[in-house]
Amino acid sequence: MRIRFWHPAAIASAATFFLTSFGVAAAEKGEIFLDKLNLPEGFKIEVYAKDVPNARHMTRGDKGTLFVGSMREGKVYAITDKNGDQKADEVKVIAEGLKLPTGVAFRDGDLYVSAVTSILRLDDIESRLDNPPEPVTITEQFPDKHHGWKYIAFGPDGWLYVPVGAPCNICDEKDYANIQRLKIEGDKVVKTETWAEGVRNTVGFTWHPQTKALWFTDNGRDLLGDDTPPCELNTAPVAGKHFGYPYCHAGDIVDPEFGEGKSCSAFVPPVQKLGPHVAPLGVKFYTGEQFPAEYRNQVLIAEHGSWNRSNKIGYRVTMVTLNDKGEATAYKPFIDGWLQGEENWGRPVDVLVMPDGALLVSDDYAGAIYRVSYEG
């Protein structure tokens, strides 16, 4: 088994790049420049909530509360719109001191939170926003490794789906690089199954509104150049499929370190190759009725943006258009402008379709949630 981990110097170089290129003060200020954003004709974008530091993944409670994980802040936020004007009235901290709590999922009145090794639960949370309960630990079964932060979501089958990212840039290590599902009863996990393998690091997945098949984004490996490999949009309608990592990338690129003797035809290719190093995270099918008909049941992806490419790409929300067979026919920007030249003022993380058909977009760089609506 060969393992290639990040060299400490590379990590330090990346950190220095971020600090010197964008400045600590600019990152903390969270300046928002809506006039820099480009949307299709008829669409409008507004700030739904600001002062949500490091806003990551989102879920919505039965009573309309928006819950947001905040990975680097160690906090979970509850955002309320009490007067129904489509703007947040209050942002509350309902949990803090957690380890990278990026993922949030809501079921039966309770909020589930991912915290690297653990899945936690805040019981009856929407009735207790002003006096939130102590988190209940459901499990601590996950490893504390690189790519340990987790997007989580309940599937149509009632199981909680949880990714286990590769503990490296590129390596072949057992029990990593997969998507698992957990059957939870009461305060315990009673069964764990592996749903998909060969998934380097998915930080966003969803289910097709008609077929109920699982769809997910996957972040491609680094250090093969600016344009190799593409990131991926995949679908796993049944359990047991292998998507190639670390042997094959994007369906047809044999890995130079781990691909010897392997054929890419043995693995499931992506539905759509995304931009190289765009870091696709949150993904949702548009299921609302507010947007024009051509958006219905199409795929919207938050691309967080490249960090080690010579020229930055990503920093946008894209749409993958599917035909009736579920085949991709187009991949193009839906919203861009968070990247201006080589400077970015925002980084999209997640997307969420609201009951009125508007789309929320979280931004962990500007610490904001945006609302996208269609006015025709």
Side-chain angles (χ1 to χ4, degrees):
M1 176 176 64
R2 292 172 293 168
I3 302 176
R4 181 172 181 174
F5 294 94
W6 287 107
H7 192 281
I11 298 174
S13 177
T16 301
F17 173 79
F18 267 88
L19 293 177
T20 57
S21 296
F22 312 124
V24 176
E28 292 176 347
K29 284 168 63 177
E31 292 183 273
I32 296 172
F33 303 95
L34 294 184
D35 61 322
K36 300 292 186 182
L37 297 178
N38 306 303
L39 295 89
E41 186 176 354
F43 284 87
K44 177 182 179 182
I45 188 165
E46 304 169 283
V47 175
Y48 180 80
K50 57 182 180 179
D51 300 323
V52 191
N54 197 240
R56 296 283 292 186
H57 293 289
M58 303 178 288
T59 192
R60 188 176 181 274
D62 293 336
K63 298 178 182 179
T65 308
L66 180 69
F67 297 101
V68 183
S70 178
M71 186 170 75
R72 301 195 188 284
E73 295 291 315
K75 298 177 181 179
V76 179
Y77 296 95
I79 301 175
T80 55
D81 172 20
K82 295 180 180 179
N83 60 10
D85 66 351
Q86 310 305 331
K87 292 184 179 180
D89 298 316
E90 194 169 15
V91 178
K92 297 174 181 285
V93 175
I94 57 170
E96 55 187 325
L98 306 181
K99 185 170 185 178
L100 306 181
T102 184
V104 285
F106 191 87
R107 187 180 70 163
D108 297 335
D110 303 330
L111 182 68
Y112 293 75
V113 180
S114 68
V116 184
T117 60
S118 308
I119 302 296
L120 311 173
R121 191 181 69 211
L122 299 173
D123 293 336
D124 192 25
I125 186 60
E126 284 190 289
S127 299
R128 308 168 71 179
L129 296 179
D130 292 322
N131 186 26
E134 288 296 317
V136 175
T137 300
I138 303 301
T139 183
E140 295 179 301
Q141 69 189 65
F142 298 104
D144 186 2
K145 294 283 188 178
H146 187 60
H147 295 147
W149 56 89
K150 295 172 173 61
Y151 177 88
I152 58 174
F154 283 97
D157 53 14
W159 293 53
L160 183 69
Y161 284 69
V162 183
V164 180
C168 54
N169 172 38
I170 185 73
C171 59
D172 189 0
E173 190 161 343
K174 187 179 178 181
D175 300 326
Y176 291 87
N178 59 52
I179 300 174
Q180 299 181 5
R181 66 172 186 167
L182 281 55
K183 187 175 184 179
I184 300 173
E185 294 182 358
D187 296 344
K188 296 181 180 179
V189 174
V190 298
K191 191 174 184 180
T192 301
E193 297 177 351
T194 298
W195 187 262
E197 297 180 281
V199 180
R200 180 178 178 267
N201 183 34
T202 178
V203 196
F205 42 82
T206 191
W207 286 266
H208 193 286
Q210 296 172 330
T211 68
K212 308 305 179 186
L214 177 71
W215 289 62
F216 63 94
T217 57
D218 195 11
N219 286 245
R221 67 158 292 181
D222 293 302
L223 305 182
L224 288 184
D226 279 355
D227 298 320
T228 303
C231 293
E232 302 175 20
L233 172 67
N234 296 286
T235 183
V238 296
K241 301 294 185 181
H242 196 294
F243 291 84
Y245 178 88
Y247 317 114
C248 179
H249 309 289
D252 56 9
I253 300 172
V254 176
D255 189 84
E257 296 179 61
F258 292 93
E260 184 177 356
K262 303 290 185 180
S263 172
C264 286
S265 63
F267 308 110
V268 180
V271 175
Q272 176 66 51
K273 295 179 183 180
L274 307 178
H277 312 298
V278 296
L281 302 184
V283 56
K284 293 291 187 303
F285 288 90
Y286 181 74
T287 54
E289 297 184 359
Q290 184 183 127
F291 291 7
E294 58 265 30
Y295 288 85
R296 186 75 56 82
N297 296 335
Q298 304 303 329
V299 184
L300 296 169
I301 301 171
E303 295 185 353
H304 200 224
S306 61
W307 67 271
N308 64 343
R309 200 171 179 276
S310 299
N311 298 110
K312 292 182 181 180
I313 56 172
Y315 303 87
R316 60 189 182 178
V317 176
T318 55
M319 185 171 80
V320 175
T321 303
L322 307 176
N323 62 21
D324 292 340
K325 297 179 181 180
E327 301 165 334
T329 60
Y331 163 55
K332 61 183 180 181
F334 174 57
I335 311 171
D336 63 17
W338 284 284
L339 178 65
Q340 297 289 314
E342 289 299 305
E343 298 291 331
N344 66 279
W345 61 267
R347 301 189 79 181
V349 176
D350 200 11
V351 289
L352 181 68
V353 181
M354 296 291 276
D356 68 349
L359 183 76
L360 297 187
V361 180
S362 62
D363 178 344
D364 65 351
Y365 193 84
I369 311 292
Y370 311 105
R371 180 179 182 269
V372 181
S373 58
Y374 182 73
E375 296 184 332

